[in-house]
Amino acid sequence: MTLALHGLGISRGIAIGPAHIVERDQLDIPEYEIDAGLIDDEIERLKEAVMAAQDQLRAIRRHVPAAAATEITALIDAHLLMLDDAALIHEPLRLIREQRRNAEWALKSQRDALVRVFEEMDDSYLRTRRDDVAHVVNRIQRILLKHSPLRHEQPDSRLTGYIIFADDLTPADTVLMQHHGIAAFVTEYGGPTSHTSILARSLGIPAIVGLHQAHAYIRDEEPVIVDGTRGVVLAGADPTTLEFYRSRREQDQRYYSGLIRLKDATARTLDGVRIELQANVELPADFDNVLRVGADGIGLYRTEFLFMNRDVPPDEDEQYRNYLGAVQVLGRMPVTIRTLDLGGDKEAGDAGRRTGSLAANPALGLRAVRLCLKKPALFRPQLRAILRASAAGDVRLMIPMLSNTQEMEQVLGLIDEIRTELRAEGAAFNPDLPVGGMIEVPAAAVCADIFARQLDFLSIGTNDLIQYTMAIDRVNDEVNYLYDPLHPAVLRLVHGVIAAGSDAGIPVAMCGEMAGDVRYVRLLLALGLRCFSVHPASLLEVKQIIMASDLGELGSLAQRALAATCGADVGAIVEEYRPVAA
Ligand code: PEP
Ligand code: MG
């Protein structure tokens, strides 16, 4: 009998393959007393497990593909350093010696104590260490309990074609898995615009989140079908169902590979209006993909991925080389570098969400430009690196999460100071570096006209704009159902921002996920959007729709959509204007 499980499809496409269950966090840790005569053996067992964990990590490090993002090796190095630190096992050794506890339990007790300390901390970098401690301890415990190492971390393991089932995945896990050629992933937690989901889409693999209890129904190695478009997992499929999905997968593949013919075509509507079609990138490995799909440049470079999974932030020179790398790949095309947007779901997964008033709502907390302005030692090197890279090409700087004009003015002031510094040092930079702002907080959207007076461009971040407008946490699958890009409030805000930019004579782009969703391309064109920034995996499909659209015919779409009273009605109107192929 075919079993169908439903979650939220967050990256389209069909995958068929065996399941691989990642059981990272579900260790049953036994607690027992050691015989007095066996204490030395237990101590030896713990030390050997630590050494085995080091060997595992070194092996992983050696096999990280050269093209993989630097944050993966940085994460592994951070874990190796922790294993090297005697302090990690000092307390467990004492518990074994003095209280005759078993090694696994002694480690658990130490981990819980450290996690409590980290959770109290008012420093996002230090708080991210909490998950590192948990991962390192988990690795040693798995060895003590003789669990096999996690397969996606094993360089020689063959996960090609597998469908990964996990509670949750970090962005680094997702990247590592991609190098194994996995076919799809399914997680219990996470929302459509969590950064792991965004990464899945940009890697172009089908993915589903919010599929609860998959563990209870799916066995390791069991053949399953994942329909990332509809958010369905099928197990025990009969031959007819299997055949149906095989042929749909082939149709999909033919369709997407056929789109490459549009790579060199200009994104122009049927009535001749040129639309700027740029790409979003997260990792340096994506720079080439921007060219592969023929994008008009980078509309959003999420630089925080450079800062994640490491103890020490990249210094100015490392950042400079990285930004210069983007410019060198892109040539004369624009490279829009967004300044650091750490915080929210982009630190240690759910860091701090469980306890402590400070981070109870990380999405509403100290993230993005707020964090940067509070920590000039973190922010200034990035501003300097971006300015220096601007000497080499069409670099643009974009400020995330502006909520009031003081923040904008403070950043503009810092940029001015740095210009003076660089001039004094004789360093080259573009004195007219365009500075833009992301409009992703409703307060900024309502006042977009005010921001537009001082900025060179605006870019609408719908992922956050929708999260904040609807008062939902974008990574919380329990309130995902409220995530509605077509809600009249969202449409009015988007429309207002586009109009404010046009009145001020500055360009307005959209770089949130809404821009890359083929269902909304015509609506956005109708609302006046002329610059889209989307991940490379959906760029050609968006281009195809643009090229099949006539703006003259879309005038009524904007009018009708803006007059509708609920998202469902807007959806029905949008459906009427949907191109046949999309
Ligand atoms: C957005 O909020 O829409 C956006 C593009 O930024 P991020 O997803 O990185 O928060
Ligand atoms: Mg955002």
Side-chain angles (χ1 to χ4, degrees):
M1 203 185 69
T2 307
L3 167 75
L5 301 170
H6 295 263
L8 190 72
I10 50 96
S11 183
R12 61 159 190 239
I14 309 277
I16 303 172
H20 171 66
I21 316 275
V22 179
E23 286 186 86
R24 180 178 21 227
D25 299 323
Q26 297 177 345
L27 296 182
D28 254 337
I29 304 296
E31 178 186 2
Y32 52 89
E33 203 174 285
I34 307 291
D35 284 345
L38 294 177
I39 288 180
D40 285 346
D41 290 352
E42 192 65 4
I43 288 179
E44 206 40 43
R45 195 166 80 89
L46 176 57
K47 288 185 175 166
E48 277 173 13
V50 171
M51 283 191 293
Q54 286 171 326
D55 287 347
Q56 277 182 4
L57 282 174
R58 287 197 197 100
I60 296 171
R61 199 186 188 294
R62 273 197 303 279
H63 288 90
V64 171
T70 47
E71 71 260 28
I72 294 180
T73 37
L75 171 70
I76 298 168
D77 286 343
H79 286 194
L80 272 168
L81 269 176
M82 226 179 270
L83 283 167
D84 261 344
D85 186 349
L88 183 73
I89 58 163
H90 182 78
E91 179 61 12
L93 289 177
R94 190 190 68 76
L95 289 173
I96 297 173
R97 221 177 269 124
E98 294 174 16
Q99 294 186 21
R100 293 167 47 189
R101 294 291 114 191
N102 57 309
E104 303 79 340
W105 190 87
L107 269 172
K108 175 179 179 299
S109 153
Q110 165 75 342
R111 180 204 59 197
D112 292 349
L114 287 173
V115 163
R116 273 195 299 277
V117 175
F118 283 125
E119 281 184 343
E120 302 290 303
M121 290 181 171
D122 174 24
D123 180 303
S124 56
Y125 276 110
L126 289 176
R127 275 203 317 271
T128 62
R129 299 290 299 274
R130 189 198 70 154
D131 282 15
D132 288 336
V133 169
H135 283 149
V136 166
V137 168
N138 184 277
R139 182 177 295 284
I140 309 171
Q141 287 172 328
R142 291 180 67 85
I143 294 169
L144 287 166
L145 294 168
K146 300 199 180 337
H147 280 273
S148 43
L150 292 169
R151 250 173 96 187
H152 73 271
E153 293 186 342
Q154 295 175 48
D156 309 328
S157 77
R158 294 274 163 266
L159 280 176
T160 312
Y162 271 82
I163 291 162
I164 306 295
F165 287 81
D167 292 351
D168 205 356
L169 292 172
T170 63
D173 278 333
T174 317
V175 177
L176 206 52
M177 284 181 180
Q178 191 232 2
H179 291 286
H180 282 291
I182 65 154
F185 76 72
V186 180
T187 64
E188 295 214 8
Y189 307 111
T193 55
S194 71
H195 287 84
T196 299
S197 303
I198 290 174
L199 218 46
R201 279 191 290 274
S202 72
L203 297 173
I205 49 178
I208 297 177
V209 298
L211 194 128
H212 295 287
Q213 296 300 325
H215 286 80
Y217 300 103
I218 309 278
R219 280 168 290 116
D220 213 30
E221 297 290 335
E222 181 176 5
V224 289
I225 299 169
V226 170
D227 180 342
T229 315
R230 294 183 176 74
V232 184
V233 172
L234 300 170
D238 55 60
T240 323
T241 310
L242 200 57
E243 199 34 54
F244 170 77
Y245 277 97
R246 278 208 185 105
S247 83
R248 261 198 52 206
R249 183 177 58 178
E250 275 158 33
Q251 267 172 25
D252 277 6
Q253 281 163 352
R254 268 199 304 276
Y255 171 66
Y256 292 117
S257 51
L259 288 173
I260 201 70
R261 71 182 190 283
L262 298 177
K263 172 183 173 274
D264 297 318
T266 306
R268 198 183 295 284
T269 61
L270 289 172
D271 43 350
V273 178
R274 173 78 164 95
I275 307 295
E276 196 83 15
L277 192 44
Q278 300 182 340
N280 293 351
V281 298
E282 278 81 44
L283 305 166
D286 299 331
F287 297 157
D288 287 334
N289 287 337
V290 177
L291 298 187
R292 196 176 47 76
V293 296
D296 296 319
I298 294 178
L300 166 65
Y301 178 18
R302 290 185 164 96
T303 56
E304 52 278 2
F305 281 84
L306 260 177
F307 289 68
M308 284 160 69
N309 296 332
R310 53 195 288 170
D311 288 341
V312 183
D315 64 14
E316 179 185 325
D317 278 341
E318 181 180 341
Q319 291 187 62
Y320 168 67
R321 285 194 300 276
N322 183 284
Y323 306 149
L324 193 63
V327 176
Q328 281 163 348
V329 174
L330 271 281
R332 300 159 76 89
M333 285 189 287
V335 176
T336 311
I337 304 178
R338 177 176 72 182
T339 58
L340 192 54
D341 183 5
L342 273 182
D345 66 329
K346 279 175 291 189
E347 38 189 29
D350 59 354
R353 199 162 299 165
R354 287 175 204 141
T355 55
S357 57
L358 248 168
N361 284 305
L364 300 179
L366 193 62
R367 62 171 281 206
V369 70
R370 304 171 181 183
L371 178 79
C372 287
L373 286 172
K374 201 165 175 192
K375 293 184 186 289
L378 181 68
F379 198 25
R380 280 181 146 269
Q382 179 169 47
L383 295 178
R384 283 181 56 97
I386 297 173
L387 266 160
R388 283 171 57 201
S390 73
D394 185 357
V395 170
R396 302 167 185 191
L397 183 147
M398 183 157 80
I399 315 164
M401 245 199 116
L402 287 168
S403 18
N404 65 26
T405 49
Q406 285 92 319
E407 288 170 338
M408 170 182 69
E409 278 155 12
Q410 270 178 279
V411 179
L412 292 175
L414 272 172
I415 294 174
D416 264 346
E417 280 176 28
I418 290 171
R419 281 198 191 103
T420 314
E421 257 170 42
L422 290 175
R423 229 174 253 126
E425 291 164 23
F429 65 92
N430 171 11
D432 300 318
L433 167 81
V435 178
M438 283 192 70
I439 301 297
E440 46 186 351
V441 173
V446 171
C447 299
D449 57 323
I450 305 178
F451 288 91
R453 287 180 210 152
Q454 289 186 68
L455 292 170
D456 299 309
F457 63 93
L458 303 178
S459 187
I460 309 174
T462 48
N463 308 336
D464 280 315
L465 186 61
I466 297 170
Q467 149 170 271
Y468 297 127
T469 304
M470 302 303 296
I472 52 166
D473 183 339
R474 61 197 262 193
V475 298
N476 183 342
D477 58 289
E478 286 178 320
V479 288
N480 271 342
Y481 70 97
L482 285 169
Y483 179 87
D484 183 6
L486 301 184
H487 189 290
V490 176
L491 293 197
R492 288 178 193 191
L493 290 175
V494 166
H495 186 235
V497 177
I498 296 171
S502 139
D503 288 349
I506 61 166
V508 176
M510 179 181 286
C511 61
E513 296 294 294
M514 186 179 182
D517 190 321
V518 292
R519 291 169 299 177
Y520 310 141
V521 173
R522 286 193 161 170
L523 173 65
L524 295 171
L525 287 171
L527 291 175
L529 191 72
R530 297 294 175 262
C531 179
F532 292 64
S533 188
V534 307
H535 31 79
S538 49
L539 189 136
L540 290 171
E541 212 181 354
V542 171
K543 189 188 267 189
Q544 174 170 263
I545 296 172
I546 291 171
M547 292 171 67
S549 301
D550 186 321
L551 293 185
E553 286 172 9
L554 294 181
S556 57
L557 168 55
Q559 252 173 15
R560 292 177 61 200
L562 285 167
T565 53
C566 70
D569 287 355
V570 178
I573 296 165
V574 165
E575 205 41 45
E576 287 177 37
Y577 292 79
R578 193 177 172 121
V580 188

